[in-house]
Amino acid sequence: MSHVSPPSFWPLLAALGAGILFSGIVLYFYGSPLGTWALLIGGVGALGSLIGWATEILTQHVHDPDELQRMLNRGFLFFLISEAAIFAAFFAHYYYQRLLVFESWPPAGAPELETQLPAIATLILLTSGVTARIARSRFVQRGARSAAKTWILVTIALASIFLAMEAYEWGLLKEFDNFTHQTTMAGTYLYIMTGFHALHVLTGIVLWALVYVRLELGHMSPKYHFAFNAAGWYWDFVDLVWVFLFFSIYLI
Amino acid sequence: MAQTIQQPMTFYSRWPKPLAVIADWLTTTDHKKIGIMYLVYSLLMAIVGGAMAGMIRTQLAVPDNTFLRPELYNEILTLHGTIMIFFVAMPALAGFGNYLVPILIGARDMAFPRLNAFSFWLLVPSGILMLASLFVEGGAAAAGWTSYTPLASKQYMATPGVDMWIFSLHLAGLSSILGAVNFIVTTLNMRAPGMRMMEMPLFVWAWFVTATLILVAIPVLSGALTMLLTDRLLGTNFFKISEGGDPLLWQHLFWFFGHPEVYIVILPSFGIISHVLAAFAHKRIFGYPGMVIAIAAIGIVGYLVWAHHMFTTGLSTLSLLLFSAFSMVIAIPTGVKVWSWLATVWGGTIRFTTPMKFALGFVALFILGGMGGIFLANVPLDLSLHDTYFVVGHFHYVFAGGTVVALLAATYFWFPKMTGRFLSEKLGTWVFWLFFLGVLLSFMVMHFLGILGMPRRVYTYRPEFTTLNQLVTAGYGLQLIAGLLLLFDILRTLLRKPARPLPPDPWGVNEVQKTLDWVTASPPPPYNFERTPTPDQWRHAPSAEVAR
Ligand SMILES: [Cu+2]
């Protein structure tokens, strides 16, 4: 038999899971008792399907691993263009308002933002970008699996500290300045844009955890390590977006 | 030989027959089956969207009609537009793209077959959410397919229907983005050994450029939708004018997506028409490099024209000038394409098959639709034509007369390839003339209504517009009959067993403009080609042009 890809139930289940999850959000916000259930079923369904999907791929014979890795790398980078375009929509919104609409910034009712804590958080996130690169080069160039795993753990730890600091900073703003996502345009930008970014950091942490598990299981070699590339590029992207965010929201 | 290995998919061979068939379709990763599912999905949604058009035209058959409540009219109008664009045009083009692109480049499948299946299946919950929104308390979204804020904000439209509309488009958007990544990598990496980019058939080029448009345009819509959603559900201030925001921002973000969206549905149509015209003029496509450059140019300039949808919003004179000028510039690459098509047909040995009729009809209707576009790109004219039926007539010429006619050409052209049987040429002639004249009538008259001053998106009109509105409704009737005839013909043909198997090139078109779709069996085996295609199967001898 030629190399025709075998059938799979996972794409269908993952799609249905996503649909139920989204329906769950609507139900939840409009106070339906079904909301929580739909969120739960949809979330578990979508996530479970993705895990099933990933496990299924591992068990299958690959005809041309070099070509597959090239295609996966390329596909992931093109996907990141789409991610960048979503953030671009938010940045376009932000700069349009700040440069063309608002005469003074921050608008009345929004506090001057304290930059010390976010600056430290920025340094921590950028450091995690360096440790991620060290992890990759340890594995790809020297084949040092355990060193790579250690550096991945360091990366995950730094990313978690970053998230914790961000949450702490949100808490401070809310408690002392009564500043929420509903307080003026500035509050909306701060919470939604950094929040959307934080979701990406969280996704990045999950990706790094997956890379860690796959290293542990011996699934990757210095030659074939798409997951490593993907997590690495994703992390560079998350870092880069944060630098723009920090500059846009906190510095200017 | 080809017959004996038709069915290597033996995964469900031990299951009872009907279950095995269902499981096979639900779990398939074969680009041809996924393509067919996209097409069936699109056809079902076309029935829904077409029925909604029928409700709109019934309501507008006489002034002050009470067939639809005004609120329900707005809901139907919103869903008609959204469904026709996101659930009819895009899935149909994705269907033909899925089916044809791997075959045209000599590949076994798309680059990521499971992701491909995922892209399709996402459309199912997406469509369900959209249709279910009609039945929730408060009704469906009713702010038009553009959902301008503040009209679509919680304050003016409290129904969960709007949130369902947003999530539905999020799912459809994710589907399109993943599909686009798949098309791009497939085109770049999966071409048969020796096939250069500049040897790819125009349909592949068109889809490649379309995929790059999807990759950048759709996420901007997703971003804007997310902002609208957090405004509605979490009480953020993105589109709140009371917080000092600019009410135009939604329009900027929406049209930054919305104009490229026009090209997302028209570029693959251009590709289809190029194939059909060359095939039945029995000539090679005229000016292939120019055609490729024109597609790319339209793709790029298409990003710089979005504010021509906003000429009446009080933009600065400089913006008006620039956006008007860039909009006019698009006429140049579009003109290149039209002239290349005419030159392709010119002096050819034309066979007036049904797909050829649709392709020629496309060129005629697209020229008409394009001319309306030049009127609207002109700022002083647009100031008086904006939000009138002139605009509705214009974009229906381009969508129904352009994309849908191209899809019908593709349906008739590749039906024998996909199913191993021909649709009826006799009925096809009827379908063509009814649809062509219906489009011509309905949407031409809409232009007149617009010039006379009838506003769009209103459930009624002044009595003096009655006759013209009835002509539009009559044109809808013609299109409806054409659609029903086609549906009948498709079902009838599928239910009948073909008398004898069709050859790989059932139309007999593959001598002059060679493409790989006419090299493999009809229908193709699961792995498309028994042997990897070789350059002589798609490359033309350098002397071919002279020899003719
Ligand atoms: Cu436009």
Side-chain angles (χ1 to χ4, degrees), chain A residues 8 30 60 74 82 181 188, chain B residues 27 114 154 163 189 215 234:
Chain A
S8 170
Y30 285 86
Q60 276 163 12
R74 206 170 231 173
S82 277
H181 61 281
T188 292
Chain B
T27 62
R114 280 188 204 79
K154 188 94 180 169
D163 306 281
N189 285 49
L215 209 59
L234 303 175

Side-chain angles (χ1 to χ4, degrees), chain A residues 128-146:
Chain A
S128 81
V130 177
T131 58
R133 278 173 175 265
I134 296 175
R136 187 177 179 283
S137 71
R138 285 286 182 281
F139 184 65
V140 176
Q141 281 161 20
R142 301 191 204 159
R145 207 149 62 102
S146 59

Side-chain angles (χ1 to χ4, degrees), chain B residues 473-547:
Chain B
T473 302
Y476 170 79
L478 297 182
Q479 295 171 56
L480 178 68
I481 300 170
L484 293 176
L485 277 181
L486 174 66
L487 205 61
F488 165 73
D489 196 20
I490 289 177
L491 291 177
R492 185 183 66 161
T493 311
L494 287 180
L495 289 175
R496 237 184 357 215
K497 272 259 169 288
R500 56 196 154 73
L502 290 182
D505 180 16
W507 292 104
V509 294
N510 206 30
E511 302 135 44
V512 185
Q513 174 75 49
K514 293 202 274 186
T515 45
L516 291 173
D517 44 346
W518 307 119
V519 169
T520 179
S522 315
Y527 38 84
N528 294 344
F529 300 95
E530 266 179 65
R531 251 175 254 114
T532 308
T534 49
D536 59 292
Q537 287 175 301
W538 68 75
R539 198 168 288 165
H540 300 87
S543 59
E545 200 83 299
V546 187

Side-chain angles (χ1 to χ4, degrees), chain A residues 85-100 189 193, chain B residues 220 227 249 252-253 256:
Chain A
I86 298 188
F87 277 104
F90 282 92
F91 278 110
H93 195 291
Y94 177 77
Y95 278 107
Y96 183 99
Q97 300 275 39
R98 267 201 72 171
L99 300 178
L100 301 178
Y189 286 132
M193 286 173 80
Chain B
V220 173
M227 295 176 208
L249 248 172
H252 277 298
L253 290 172
F256 183 83

Side-chain angles (χ1 to χ4, degrees), chain B residues 169-246:
Chain B
L169 291 188
H170 265 323
L171 290 167
L174 182 62
S175 157
S176 299
I177 290 169
L178 297 177
V181 169
N182 221 336
F183 273 114
I184 290 174
V185 179
T186 304
T187 310
L188 290 178
N189 285 49
M190 305 274 288
R191 297 193 307 280
M195 186 185 280
R196 295 188 290 261
M197 292 286 277
M198 285 308 276
E199 288 177 337
M200 300 190 310
L202 284 175
F203 183 68
V204 180
W205 261 114
W207 241 112
F208 182 69
V209 174
T210 301
T212 62
L213 285 176
I214 290 176
L215 209 59
V216 178
I218 299 274
V220 173
L221 173 69
S222 303
L225 288 173
T226 307
M227 295 176 208
L228 179 58
L229 190 76
T230 61
D231 271 12
R232 293 178 55 88
L233 296 184
L234 303 175
T236 56
N237 304 319
F238 283 112
F239 300 113
K240 275 195 197 129
I241 302 149
S242 54
E243 291 290 340
D246 186 332

